[in-house]
Amino acid sequence: MLSHLLLGTNDLTASRQFYDAVLGVLGAAPATHIHVNGFERYVWDHDGTRLMIATPRDGQPSTHYNGFTLGFKTTSIEQLHRALDAALAHGGVAIEDAPGWRRAPGNDRYLAYVRDPAGHKLCLMFREAWATSA
């Protein structure tokens, strides 16, 4: 359904370092630096998904917004914690409840929430069904 996701940032360097660290734990290669129509951005392609970061084209400051969460799938609780550690070591801020299980009938999942250096809300998620289907 989705072709890509582009997140705005006011600091391309800090955001690139953050996502290189977090996405590297999840198996992605470091970002590719590209220019599109005179605008600079960084791109990660991994497992059929494309994530990009860029400064806003309209020249206005980038802001995060309430109600949006970018979720990243992990293959184990250990990988989730390594990604969280990488996020926190690269300017991320832990938010909401402590990492742990959220139980619901047929939908048990282990979650951790963090904000990236630009303030975007991320969820790191592990589900046992993903580990058993791999």
Side-chain angles (χ1 to χ4, degrees):
M1 180 186 299
L2 298 175
S3 65
H4 67 278
L5 181 62
L6 176 87
L7 296 176
T9 182
N10 293 311
D11 187 338
L12 278 170
T13 300
S15 290
R16 180 194 49 82
Q17 291 171 345
F18 176 89
Y19 283 104
D20 272 348
V22 173
L23 298 178
V25 172
L26 303 182
T32 301
H33 182 235
I34 64 171
H35 285 83
V36 177
N37 298 327
F39 291 92
E40 183 178 18
R41 58 181 68 169
Y42 287 96
V43 178
W44 294 264
D45 287 305
H46 179 66
D47 200 22
T49 302
R50 173 171 273 193
L51 174 67
M52 297 179 285
I53 58 169
T55 56
R57 291 182 69 151
D58 64 4
Q60 298 299 309
S62 174
T63 60
H64 68 278
Y65 37 94
N66 194 20
F68 174 81
T69 303
L70 174 58
F72 290 109
K73 182 179 179 179
T74 67
T75 59
S76 67
I77 293 172
E78 294 77 18
Q79 184 188 46
L80 180 148
H81 279 279
R82 287 193 316 271
L84 178 60
D85 290 346
L88 298 176
H90 289 85
V93 177
I95 59 172
E96 299 193 11
D97 295 334
W101 285 103
R102 290 2 177 235
R103 304 279 184 193
N107 192 21
D108 290 351
R109 60 224 181 275
Y110 192 95
L111 305 176
Y113 288 95
V114 63
R115 288 205 184 270
D116 75 4
H120 298 289
K121 181 180 174 182
L122 310 180
C123 176
L124 301 167
M125 180 187 291
F126 168 73
R127 291 189 64 204
E128 288 175 335
W130 294 338
T132 58
S133 67

